[in-house]
Amino acid sequence: MTNPVEIKRGDGPIVLGLPHTGTHVPDDIAAKLNDRGRELADTDWHIHTLYDGLIDNVTTVRATFHRYVIDANRDPEGVSLYPGQNTTTLVPLTDFDGENIWDIAPTEADIAARAANFHAPYHAALAAELERVRAKHGVAILYDCHSIRSNIPFLFEGTLPDFNIGTNLGTTCDPMIETLTSEICSQAEGYSTVLNGRFKGGWTTRHYGRPDINQHAIQMELAQSTYLSAEEAPWAYDQSRAAKLRTHLTDILKTLADLAPSLRGKS
C-alpha cells in the first residue's frame, strides 16, 4: 500500500502543507469512479514541484492520495467550509464543475474507512511536524499550498485572481504574516491578488491556525494559469511561467522565515 503521506523534515520555522497534489487512487476505489472521475481533473497539479527547493530548511508534509479518495483539506466531521456556496465534500461526489465522478458512490462505511486510512494519517503527520517545529523555534508557520483553475463557474463567478491568500479573515495567523504576504503579492508585477476572497482558508488553515500558542497558518491558492501551459489536460508544467512565479513565492517564504523569531512570545 502506498504511504498516504510523505514527510521531508527541515530545521526551519516553516511547514508547507500539500494536501491536494497526490494522484494515488487505490485500485478498489478507482474501479468505482466513472470515466470523468478517473481523469482526476481537480488535482493541484505540480504544486509540490513548484514549491520544491524555494528555501532551505523547510519542512513539507504531502498527501500522496487524490482528493477524490478523501479530501485532506475538509473537516473530518463533514462540516461545510463555505455554507450556502457550492463546494466539494469530504469525499467529493462531484468534480469542480458539479459533474458526477462516481459509478458507485461511496457509502458511509467507505468514508469512515478512508478517513481512518488516509485523512487521519496525513493530519497526524502534519500535527506532529508543527509540534516539532514549534518546540524547536517557539513558533511554527504553516503555509498551506494549493492551486485551482482560474475559471470554474460552479464554484465562483468570473476569473480568479492569481494569488488568493486565506487567513479566515485574519484569525489564523499574526497580522504581520498576512500583511507581508499581501504586500509581496500586491507588488508582484503582472499578477493579481486578493486577501480572504473566495478562498478564505480551508479546514487545515482554520484547524491549525492558533496564534495564541504561536502556531500560525496561512493558505495560498494559486490560479493554475500562473504556472501551467494550459488549465486542461495534460496539465503541463510551464517552466518559464513557473520560474517567474517561484521568485515571488521564494520572497514570501524567506520573508516569513525571517519574521518568525519576532513572533515568539507574542501569544
Side-chain angles (χ1 to χ4, degrees), residues 225-242:
S225 56
T226 59
Y227 70 95
L228 295 183
S229 297
E231 295 182 332
E232 60 186 14
W235 312 102
Y237 188 78
D238 187 308
Q239 293 286 354
S240 177
R241 290 180 180 178

Side-chain angles (χ1 to χ4, degrees), residues 2 19 27 38 70 80 86 90 101 127-128 195 211 213-214 224 232 246 256:
T2 300
D27 290 344
R38 283 190 284 271
I70 193 166
S80 176
N86 286 340
L90 178 63
I101 57 173
L195 172 63
I213 61 169
N214 287 326
Q224 290 178 345
E232 60 186 14
R246 278 168 59 89
L256 296 184

